[in-house]
């Protein structure tokens, strides 16, 4: 039965506590422990029962308790101080404001399909979403004028339950937006709405907002009465459904997101596409610019591309969304005409090979073609990405493909335990919170007494064990376990035993079962009477990933074996709350992916910031973060053709590390009972890794390398009725027509097969430019060592200088001095690239001539 009318019921707060709403609806409480203390102090049991949701807590708490709190002098003193501190924070300047002035308008829009900000807003699935949430938090800390754009899922990602056999089951509880710290965006008292064209209809989109410190996250919702039941389901589930649902979601996110910002009067200069899900935003920005300014597709594309930033996260082709031509035709049949393109031209924007009519339209390729700023998320991932997407620039050497890398980081304050934060406050001062990327700040970790460092960590391990026992009992109870199993859950794990954590998405390449490969050896390792070890597993497999589910089932069955019942635990429903307990309480964080399939990974960074030690394959971030004094590496990055053999080798290496190095170091105690060697490694881990692998450093790098230059380029492009973009577009068109005239006619040097270290080689080249002026090209000497196949290895480019003027035919000579700084087989060649002051990168056009 439908109601006659609807209304919203809000908490009835005493006047003295009215400002509690300010605290509840600004997610700064997600990383500011004293704000969370206010809600916990109101009702600690209800705080846990509500999943740390202050909005629900304020709605369910008794009026008597609120009145009692308003009369509690101690509570009111803390409450007023915390509220005043929030107001001061919101008005205070951060790094961007101090360097570039406070801005009243957002300059950057950050798009992502998921955001992991806190467990009570469950619109995330894993690492990508948590990274996006940390990005917003650091943008707030740095005062960057940024807004986030995402989808508000009615059901979000699934909740995980295991049946009696250990098989993963999924459930999708509905999110109640009116009992979450989100609010509808209003304009003139009415909800802000926008529309996106679908086949034969318009889909209406409602906009909600989450306050994340100083920045706002805008979330799009199609589950509104104005839409059909089919369209209301577009924003039901994160990563649910088939390809058709996926393209609908990505239309809403990319095109709807741009339109929603316009409807709110928000006009950012820079659009950051975090993974390919929102790649359609580039098309919509071009369409809007064409319509508003009456310019061509190419002119609008130049302006848009120069101000788009794209971050790729997926190191395998199958993980990148791509749509067959028939699906693109169904949903964009009305669209390509507005861009002045044919259907085939439209498809080519998302294809590596423009001549392959069977190639689907890839959102990653689309985002790369419509962005002049592209990055991977670790150094190793950068190498993988350049190889994976080299087909977009087929004439470039792989290491020259214009994709750089910015290594991921974590928002330190969101992941540090409350006890450790107090310890850092005492010995590092407030600077570790204000300047978490400052190496000098973290040097003071050495001043923390070993005993205090260790006792703080032990309390966190005890807290983890207590939490794990409680969670295990709850999940056993749900699965129908008997009284004996429930009683046994109270005795699993030991708060004084070396604890290993493994928690992440259960994809097969992450090899959660690598440590289970030799059960007899594992039993000996875990159940040693003098040096026992215990392992806590957690994580979800994708609902359609049966091999991943089978790994979970295998682990659960091993957990139930009598010899492992107290030493191995699998905890259901991995989320941000469980993740905090784990990264704050484990001694060792285990990571065993198949290299190089882990683009970055951030869970190990969270453990490291808490003093946890990593034992990991040299993949993702650990390839950069590892050194012998901060953890252990499984192997040296070797790769084998035989996967089964590789698993054998690396599992044996893992056992060797644990048996011979990790476990003995943990249990080697001095006369005072302290593991001095272990504590020294904990301190080195925090000191070396925390200042670099944090999102404040990352977001500042994005700002300095991408956002600020992109703002400048955008403004230069759109000024004077897009004269800059028109000029660049016309120049590119002209150069593409004339570039066939360019060729390298001859190359000469002053050596006869042998050169000497310390001397230089003079290289001369005669280049035919035809009608192309020397200012329009860059002639480069490309040189380096040779690999075993005689190819240039990691070549370096140096500019060659023109000598004199072009002759009547269009020839000109260039020279360069090649310094010989090392011995061995070397080589060089000469190339010609486009050159223009407005080009972000001379390689982006894909025009190149080699000698």
């Amino acid at each position: 039965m439908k109601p006659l009318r609807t209304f919203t019921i809000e908490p009835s707060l005493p006047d003295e506590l009215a400002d509690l709403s300010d605290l509840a609806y600004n997610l700064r409480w997600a990383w500011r422990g004293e704000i969370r203390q206010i809600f916990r102090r109101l009702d600690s049991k209800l705080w846990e029962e509500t999943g740390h949701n202050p909005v629900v807590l304020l709605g369910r708490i008794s009026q008597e308790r609120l009145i009692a709190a308003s009369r509690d002098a101690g509570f009111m003193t803390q409450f007023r101080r915390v509220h005043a501190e929030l107001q001061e924070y919101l008005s205070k300047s951060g790094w961007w404001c101090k360097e570039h002035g406070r801005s009243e308008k957002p300059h950057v829009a950050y798009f992502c399909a998921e955001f992991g900000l806190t467990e009570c807003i469950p619109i995330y699935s894993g690492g990508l979403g948590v990274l996006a949430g940390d990005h917003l938090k650091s943008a707030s800390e740095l005062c960057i004028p940024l807004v986030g754009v995402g989808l508000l899922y009615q059901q979000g990602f699934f909740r995980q339950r295991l049946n009696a056999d250990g098989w993963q089951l999924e459930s999708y509880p509905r999110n109640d937006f009116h009992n979450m710290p989100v609010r509808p965006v209003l304009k003139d008292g009415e909800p802000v709405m926008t529309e996106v064209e679908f086949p034969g209809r318009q889909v209406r989109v409602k906009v909600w907002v989450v306050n994340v410190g100083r920045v706002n996250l805008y979330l799009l919702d199609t589950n509104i009465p104005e839409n059909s039941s089919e369209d209301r389901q577009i924003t039901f589930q994160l990563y649910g459904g088939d390809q058709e649902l996926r393209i609908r979601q990505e239309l809403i996110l990319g095109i709807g997101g741009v339109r929603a910002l316009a409807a709110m009067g928000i006009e950012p200069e820079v659009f950051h596409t975090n993974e390919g899900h929102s790649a359609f935003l580039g098309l919509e920005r071009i369409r809007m610019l064409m319509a508003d300014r009456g310019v061509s597709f190419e002119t609008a594309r130049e302006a848009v591309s120069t101000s788009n930033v794209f971050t790729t996260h997926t190191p395998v082709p199958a993980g990148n969304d791509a749509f067959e031509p028939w699906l693109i035709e169904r949903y964009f049949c009305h669209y390509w005409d507005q861009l002045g393109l044919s259907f085939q031209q439209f498809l080519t924007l998302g294809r590596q090979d423009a001549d392959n009519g069977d190639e689907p339209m890839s959102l990653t390729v689309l985002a790369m073609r419509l962005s002049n700023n592209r990055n991977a998320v670790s150094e190793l991932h950068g190498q993988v990405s350049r190889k994976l997407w080299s087909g977009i620039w087929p004439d470039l050497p792989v290491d020259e493909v214009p994709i750089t890398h910015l290594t991921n980081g974590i928002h330190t304050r969101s992941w540090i335990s409350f006890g450790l934060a107090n310890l850092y406050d005492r010995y590092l001062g407030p600077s570790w919170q204000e300047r978490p990327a400052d190496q000098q700040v973290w040097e003071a970790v050495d001043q923390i007494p070993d005993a205090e460092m260790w006792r703080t960590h032990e309390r966190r391990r005890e807290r983890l064990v207590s939490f794990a026992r409680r969670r295990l009992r709850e999940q056993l109870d749900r699965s129908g376990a008997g009284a004996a199993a429930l009683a046994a859950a109270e005795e699993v794990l030991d708060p004084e035993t070396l604890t290993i954590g493994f928690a992440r998405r259960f994809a097969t390449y992450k090899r959660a079962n690598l440590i289970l490969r030799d059960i007899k050896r594992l039993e000996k390792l875990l159940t040693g009477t003098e040096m026992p070890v215990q392992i806590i597993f957690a994580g979800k497999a994708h609902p359609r990933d049966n091999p991943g589910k089978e790994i979970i089932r295998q682990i659960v069955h091993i957990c139930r074996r009598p010899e492992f019942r107290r030493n191995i635990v699998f905890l259901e429903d991995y989320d941000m709350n469980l993740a905090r307990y784990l990264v704050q309480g484990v001694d060792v964080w285990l990571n065993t992916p198949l290299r190089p399939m882990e683009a970055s990974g951030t869970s190990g960074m969270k453990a490291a910031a808490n003093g946890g030690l990593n034992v990991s394959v040299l993949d993702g971030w650990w390839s950069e973060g590892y050194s012998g004094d901060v953890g252990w590496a499984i192997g040296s990055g070797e790769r084998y053709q035989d996967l089964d053999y590789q698993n054998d080798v690396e599992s044996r290496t893992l056992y060797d590390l644990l048996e011979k190095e990790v476990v003995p170091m943990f249990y080697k105690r001095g006369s005072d009972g302290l593991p001095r060697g272990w504590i020294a490694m904990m301190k080195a881990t925090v000191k070396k890794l925390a200042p670099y692998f944090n999102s404040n450093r990352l977001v500042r790098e994005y700002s300095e390398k991408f956002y600020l230059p992109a703002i400048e380029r955008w403004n230069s492009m759109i000024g004077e009725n897009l004269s800059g973009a028109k000029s660049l577009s016309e120049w590119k068109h002209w150069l593409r027509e004339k570039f066939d005239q360019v060729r390298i006619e001859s190359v000469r040097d002053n050596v006869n097969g042998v050169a000497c270290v310390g001397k230089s080689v003079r290289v001369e080249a005669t280049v035919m430019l035809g009608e192309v002026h020397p200012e329009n090209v860059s002639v480069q000497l490309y040189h380096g060592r040779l690999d075993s196949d005689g190819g240039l290895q990691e070549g370096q480019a140096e500019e060659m200088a023109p000598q004199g003027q072009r002759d009547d035919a269009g020839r000109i000579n260039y020279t360069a001095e090649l310094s010989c700084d090392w011995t061995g087989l070397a080589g060089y060649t000469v190339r010609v690239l486009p050159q223009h002051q407005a080009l972000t990168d001379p390689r982006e056009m894909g025009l190149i001539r080699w000698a």
Side-chain angles (χ1 to χ4, degrees):
M1 180 180 292
K2 294 289 185 181
L4 178 64
R5 61 178 63 90
T6 62
F7 56 94
T8 301
I9 302 175
E10 296 183 344
S12 178
L13 298 174
D15 291 343
E16 297 88 344
L17 298 178
D19 291 335
L20 277 171
S21 290
D22 293 344
L23 297 183
Y25 279 95
N26 191 304
L27 291 196
R28 190 160 186 255
W29 57 259
W31 70 91
R32 183 66 175 163
E34 194 173 9
I35 304 178
R36 292 195 301 276
Q37 276 189 324
I38 291 294
F39 298 112
R40 186 176 285 111
R41 193 168 170 178
L42 280 172
D43 191 325
S44 60
K45 184 180 179 182
L46 189 56
W47 175 249
E48 295 298 329
E49 289 176 355
T50 60
H52 305 155
N53 185 335
V55 176
V56 174
L57 181 143
L58 293 180
R60 288 173 53 183
I61 196 169
S62 70
Q63 206 67 25
E64 292 78 12
R65 177 68 193 105
L66 288 174
I67 293 171
S70 70
R71 295 172 179 171
D72 183 333
F75 176 85
M76 291 303 297
T77 298
Q78 184 185 23
F79 166 56
R80 291 189 185 106
R81 184 181 69 249
V82 166
H83 184 263
E85 193 266 343
L86 173 64
Q87 300 308 310
E88 181 187 6
Y89 171 82
L90 295 176
S91 63
K92 192 169 62 174
S93 296
W95 165 76
W96 178 294
C97 304
K98 293 173 183 176
E99 295 282 331
H100 309 286
R102 178 177 285 275
S103 175
E104 297 303 319
K105 58 162 279 187
H107 291 287
V108 181
Y110 180 88
F111 281 64
C112 192
E114 53 175 302
F115 285 88
L117 292 158
T118 172
E119 57 270 21
C120 74
I121 307 180
I123 56 171
Y124 63 94
S125 71
L128 176 68
V130 173
L131 175 79
D134 283 1
H135 195 104
L136 297 193
K137 294 171 185 177
S138 285
S140 171
E141 301 286 81
L142 296 168
C143 203
I144 293 172
L146 175 147
V147 294
V149 179
L151 299 179
L152 186 57
Y153 301 99
Q154 186 70 64
Q155 295 179 340
F157 206 50
F158 68 91
R159 301 293 300 272
Q160 180 195 52
R161 293 289 179 263
L162 304 180
N163 69 11
D165 189 42
W167 188 257
Q168 174 180 290
L169 305 175
E170 299 90 26
S171 63
Y172 294 87
R174 294 172 67 94
N175 291 325
D176 180 1
F177 303 153
H178 298 283
N179 274 314
M180 292 163 56
V182 303
R183 285 170 164 165
V185 178
L186 303 178
K187 190 173 184 179
D188 300 326
E190 295 295 323
V192 170
M193 308 281 281
T194 191
E195 293 182 339
V196 178
E197 297 89 347
F198 273 37
R201 64 196 188 278
Q202 299 282 337
V203 175
R204 298 273 285 166
V205 183
K206 183 177 180 179
V207 187
W208 300 71
V209 64
V210 180
N211 303 125
V212 187
R214 299 183 181 109
V215 307
N216 288 336
L217 168 61
Y218 296 103
L219 298 171
L220 312 179
D221 172 24
T222 66
N223 187 23
I224 54 177
E226 292 87 344
N227 290 327
S228 68
S229 60
E230 181 183 22
D231 291 336
R232 293 182 71 161
Q233 294 182 38
I234 294 172
T235 56
F236 257 36
Q237 291 180 7
L238 170 61
Y239 304 142
D242 56 13
Q243 284 289 90
E244 190 149 11
L245 177 60
R246 182 65 64 88
I247 198 172
R248 291 174 180 174
Q249 288 184 333
E250 290 168 351
L251 278 162
I252 297 298
L253 176 59
I255 293 176
V258 174
R259 293 180 182 179
L261 292 177
M264 293 182 286
I266 298 173
E267 300 178 343
E269 292 100 329
V270 179
F271 284 69
H272 186 163
T273 303
N274 191 44
E275 192 58 298
H277 306 112
S278 56
F280 292 138
L281 71 83
L283 297 173
E284 180 62 9
R285 292 189 69 203
I286 292 171
R287 187 199 66 79
M288 290 176 67
L289 203 56
M290 292 174 67
D292 291 346
R293 301 293 189 93
V295 295
S296 69
F297 172 83
E298 290 301 333
T299 296
R301 177 180 178 175
E302 292 303 334
V304 167
S305 296
T306 201
S307 61
N308 275 354
V309 177
F310 173 59
T311 300
T312 178
H313 291 261
T314 309
V316 291
N320 293 268
D321 282 348
F323 300 110
E324 295 297 328
W326 67 266
L327 201 52
I328 295 296
E329 184 174 21
R330 172 178 294 177
Y331 283 91
F332 285 92
C333 58
H334 64 284
Y335 202 89
W336 56 74
D337 281 345
Q338 298 179 61
L339 300 177
L341 300 177
S342 69
F343 179 44
Q344 290 304 316
Q345 287 173 323
F346 187 79
L347 289 173
T348 296
L349 293 172
R351 288 172 167 168
Q352 291 202 64
D353 183 357
D355 298 324
N356 183 359
D358 295 326
E359 184 179 345
M361 187 175 190
S362 163
L363 293 200
T364 299
V365 175
L366 176 66
M368 288 196 178
R369 289 199 187 278
L370 298 184
S371 303
N372 289 351
N373 311 278
R374 315 167 194 89
N375 73 283
V377 291
S378 71
E379 183 178 14
L380 180 59
H381 182 230
Q383 298 171 17
V384 173
S385 298
R386 286 187 285 275
K387 183 176 181 180
L388 184 60
W389 305 111
S390 59
I392 303 175
W393 300 273
D395 294 326
L396 285 174
V398 170
D399 60 323
E400 289 270 300
V401 168
I403 302 172
T404 185
H405 79 274
L406 295 180
T407 302
N408 283 343
I410 63 161
H411 185 252
T412 311
R413 284 206 278 175
S414 291
W415 299 101
I416 294 288
S417 72
F418 193 68
L420 192 59
N422 287 336
L423 194 65
Y424 288 165
D425 283 343
R426 289 204 304 275
Y427 291 97
L428 279 63
S431 297
W432 78 272
Q433 298 190 44
E434 298 164 358
R435 304 194 313 275
D438 187 337
Q439 177 71 55
Q440 282 190 309
V441 169
W442 294 95
E443 292 293 329
V445 167
D446 286 334
Q447 298 176 18
I448 301 175
D450 285 358
E452 285 195 61
M453 187 84 170
W454 187 244
R455 300 304 176 218
T456 300
H457 176 65
E458 285 194 310
R459 284 192 292 272
R460 291 185 288 128
R461 193 191 314 115
E462 292 167 2
R463 185 167 167 258
L464 168 61
V465 168
S466 175
F467 174 82
R469 288 172 175 172
R470 185 169 66 250
R471 282 286 290 263
L472 182 61
R473 183 181 175 89
E474 291 170 358
Q475 69 190 49
L476 288 172
D477 192 28
R478 281 192 298 268
S479 66
L486 294 176
E490 300 292 344
E491 299 178 355
V492 301
L493 307 177
D494 183 330
E496 296 183 355
T497 290
L498 170 61
T499 304
I500 298 174
F502 185 102
R504 51 189 40 83
R505 182 166 56 91
F506 266 65
T508 52
Y509 79 85
K510 292 180 183 283
R511 298 188 299 178
N513 53 355
L514 190 71
I515 196 171
L516 310 178
R517 200 165 176 85
D518 186 335
I519 292 296
K520 290 296 183 184
R521 196 169 177 183
L522 180 65
E523 180 184 355
K524 184 179 177 181
L525 174 70
L526 266 57
T527 60
T529 55
E530 294 183 2
M531 297 189 296
V533 178
Q534 56 198 17
I535 308 174
I536 302 177
F537 288 97
K540 299 176 178 178
H542 189 279
R544 293 190 291 272
D545 182 7
N546 284 336
K549 292 182 180 182
E550 181 57 40
I551 293 176
I552 293 175
R553 179 178 170 275
Q554 177 190 359
I555 292 172
V556 171
H557 278 252
I558 290 174
C559 291
R560 292 173 180 171
R561 291 170 62 159
E563 63 269 32
F564 295 125
R565 193 178 297 274
R566 294 189 59 181
N567 297 79
I568 306 179
V569 171
F570 186 96
L571 299 180
E572 289 178 348
D573 209 28
Y574 185 47
D575 66 357
M576 291 181 71
N577 184 43
L578 174 52
R580 278 194 297 272
Y581 276 98
L582 286 167
V583 299
Q584 293 170 8
V586 299
D587 303 292
V588 170
W589 194 257
L590 180 62
N591 190 28
T592 52
L594 268 174
R595 176 183 164 107
M597 297 183 70
E598 185 90 313
S600 173
T602 55
S603 57
M605 302 176 191
K606 300 177 180 83
N610 282 283
L613 306 185
N614 279 266
V615 175
S616 175
V617 171
L618 288 172
D619 198 10
W621 80 280
W622 194 236
S623 181
E624 298 167 59
Y626 168 71
S627 62
D629 59 341
V630 300
W632 292 270
I634 303 171
S636 303
E638 305 92 343
R639 296 175 66 186
Y640 303 90
Q641 294 296 320
D642 186 332
L643 176 58
D644 196 55
Y645 177 69
Q646 181 162 353
N647 289 338
D648 274 340
V649 169
E650 293 184 345
S651 65
R652 288 196 298 269
T653 302
L654 173 57
Y655 292 132
D656 286 343
L657 280 175
L658 293 173
E659 293 167 353
K660 298 174 183 178
E661 298 186 37
V662 180
V663 178
M665 178 181 285
F666 180 85
Y667 284 106
K668 185 179 180 180
R669 307 296 168 98
S671 57
D672 54 5
L674 298 177
R676 298 283 182 180
W678 190 274
I679 296 168
M681 192 172 274
M682 289 176 66
K683 289 183 176 181
T685 293
V686 173
K687 187 169 61 174
K688 290 187 176 183
L689 302 182
Y692 184 75
F693 295 101
N694 74 73
S695 53
N696 281 42
R697 182 272 309 162
L698 174 65
V699 175
R700 183 164 173 172
E701 281 192 5
Y702 272 114
S703 300
E704 293 174 335
K705 295 181 179 180
F706 290 159
Y707 297 165
L708 287 164
I711 290 170
E712 185 177 341
R713 288 194 298 268
W714 167 260
N715 288 324
S716 70
M717 285 284 171
I718 65 168
E720 299 179 6
N721 197 27
L722 277 89
S723 60
K726 289 177 183 176
S727 174
L728 181 59
S729 174
E730 291 167 357
W731 177 84
K732 282 187 174 182
H733 179 75
W734 174 84
L735 187 65
R736 286 192 176 98
E737 287 189 337
K738 303 297 182 183
F739 206 70
D740 283 343
Q741 302 176 16
V742 176
R743 63 181 182 274
I744 299 165
E745 294 192 335
S746 64
V747 179
R748 305 166 296 281
D749 61 46
N750 61 348
V751 295
N752 188 23
V754 178
C756 296
V757 172
K759 300 291 182 67
S760 62
V761 174
R762 182 178 176 82
V763 179
E764 299 179 356
T766 299
V767 180
M768 168 60 79
L769 295 179
E771 299 175 60
V772 178
H773 194 276
E775 292 180 355
N776 296 143
V777 295
S778 168
V779 180
Q780 298 177 347
L781 181 66
Y782 188 76
H783 62 94
R785 299 178 187 271
L786 300 188
D787 59 26
S788 58
D789 296 323
L792 278 169
Q793 187 179 35
E794 297 181 357
Q796 298 178 356
E798 294 184 22
E799 289 292 322
M800 300 185 74
Q803 305 297 309
Q805 302 295 319
R806 284 184 299 174
D807 63 18
D808 293 340
R811 295 181 183 84
I812 187 170
N813 290 325
Y814 287 81
T815 64
E817 296 288 330
L818 174 57
S819 178
C820 299
D821 299 324
W822 38 265
T823 61
L825 199 58
Y828 73 83
T829 186
V830 175
R831 68 184 186 183
V832 183
L833 291 167
Q835 182 171 268
H836 191 282
Q837 62 180 5
L839 280 180
T840 307
D841 189 316
R843 300 167 297 185
E844 68 189 36
M845 289 182 65
L847 296 178
I848 189 168
R849 289 288 181 270
W850 293 94

